[in-house]
Amino acid sequence: MNDGDGHGSPPLRLDGITKQYDGGGGTVTALDDVDFTVERGEVTAIMGPSGSGKSTMLNMLGLLDDPTTGSVELLGERVAALSARERTDVRRKRVGFVFQDFHLIPTLSAVENVRLPTRFLDADYTDRAVDLLGRVGLADRLRHTPDELSGGQKQRVAIARSLINEPDVLLADEPTGNLDRDTGEAVLGEIQTIADAGVGVVAVTHDSLVGEYADRTVELVDGVLDG
């Protein structure tokens, strides 16, 4: 894939995506002809009940799975033609992930966890990791390990880690799921700041609080997107 910035193209787009699985009782349609565009500088909340297809859609947006029909476009280019190695490389460069359960390495400090996605790169990203942790309010927690951090602090470390490679898109899976309301609001404020810097943010969630902070909310029910 071209390493240009895809000027004029949205960071990520799903075009007519259908995803079907072979289940014990027959074919299951997880996504049904879904069109969806991630816009720069916008927070979009994808909401829906369990089993509605949210995880499948997140996997499509994260270039982790292939559709049965339809196409995924990253910076205006179709992803289908990429090899597995190319896809991994472009995902690392262009897409950041924030998970409900943080996925921090317990034996590493906050700085080391943030630097983790760059471990196979030649450059030293320590200064950028320190800067990102400062931006999310953790300048005084650089050397702390996850067991020395609160839930909200862990989520902020995870957000900083997702930004280490300056992605075009940030995908958040239930970003407030393990947080109390006050901490969730603080984390969502950080996510809004990230979008204000030009990153396209998509949050997949059950939490109506996320919708309050989103620029756009869409509903996913039985694999069909509305909104």
Side-chain angles (χ1 to χ4, degrees):
M1 174 172 281
N2 188 324
D3 278 335
D5 63 5
H7 182 70
S9 301
L12 195 57
R13 188 165 76 94
L14 305 183
D15 184 12
I17 295 291
T18 294
K19 180 64 178 181
Q20 295 178 321
Y21 298 97
D22 290 328
T27 301
V28 175
T29 301
L31 294 175
D32 188 1
D33 195 25
V34 168
D35 294 322
F36 180 76
T37 301
V38 179
E39 300 289 357
R40 299 179 192 276
E42 182 178 77
V43 179
T44 303
I46 300 176
M47 306 190 74
S50 296
S52 62
K54 297 193 306 297
S55 294
T56 301
M57 187 166 170
L58 194 69
N59 287 340
M60 293 295 165
L61 292 167
L63 316 183
L64 296 168
D65 200 358
D66 294 314
T68 305
T69 60
S71 66
V72 181
E73 296 180 3
L74 182 67
L75 299 172
E77 297 187 44
R78 292 196 173 193
V79 173
L82 300 178
S83 67
R85 183 184 181 122
E86 289 171 332
R87 189 175 302 198
T88 297
D89 188 50
V90 77
R91 183 168 56 240
R92 176 179 56 79
K93 291 179 179 178
R94 303 296 188 183
V95 183
F97 294 87
V98 177
F99 301 97
Q100 176 180 357
D101 295 322
F102 318 129
H103 292 285
L104 302 179
I105 305 300
T107 56
L108 299 183
S109 69
V111 167
E112 290 167 336
N113 267 290
V114 172
R115 273 187 1 212
L116 199 59
T118 69
R119 66 192 182 280
F120 296 122
L121 303 180
D122 293 333
D124 185 349
Y125 282 76
T126 300
D127 288 347
R128 176 162 172 77
V130 169
D131 177 64
L132 286 168
L133 286 167
R135 283 165 51 187
V136 298
L138 294 178
D140 59 344
R141 295 290 188 271
L142 302 179
R143 305 301 169 190
H144 288 58
T145 55
D147 65 352
E148 298 172 311
L149 301 173
S150 68
Q153 289 170 338
K154 291 176 187 177
Q155 189 64 295
R156 289 178 187 220
V157 173
I159 289 171
R161 180 185 57 193
S162 74
L163 299 174
I164 191 71
N165 287 321
E166 300 183 78
D168 298 280
V169 175
L170 177 65
L171 302 178
D173 184 10
E174 297 287 359
T176 60
N178 288 329
L179 307 177
D180 61 61
R181 184 177 179 89
D182 287 346
T183 305
E185 288 180 340
V187 165
L188 290 169
E190 299 294 346
I191 287 176
Q192 277 189 322
T193 300
I194 291 163
D196 289 343
V199 177
V201 180
V202 180
V204 174
T205 185
H206 291 92
D207 186 359
S208 60
L209 177 63
V210 178
E212 294 177 22
Y213 282 76
D215 300 296
R216 175 169 58 121
T217 299
V218 298
E219 299 281 342
L220 188 64
V221 180
D222 293 334
V224 176
L225 196 67
D226 180 19

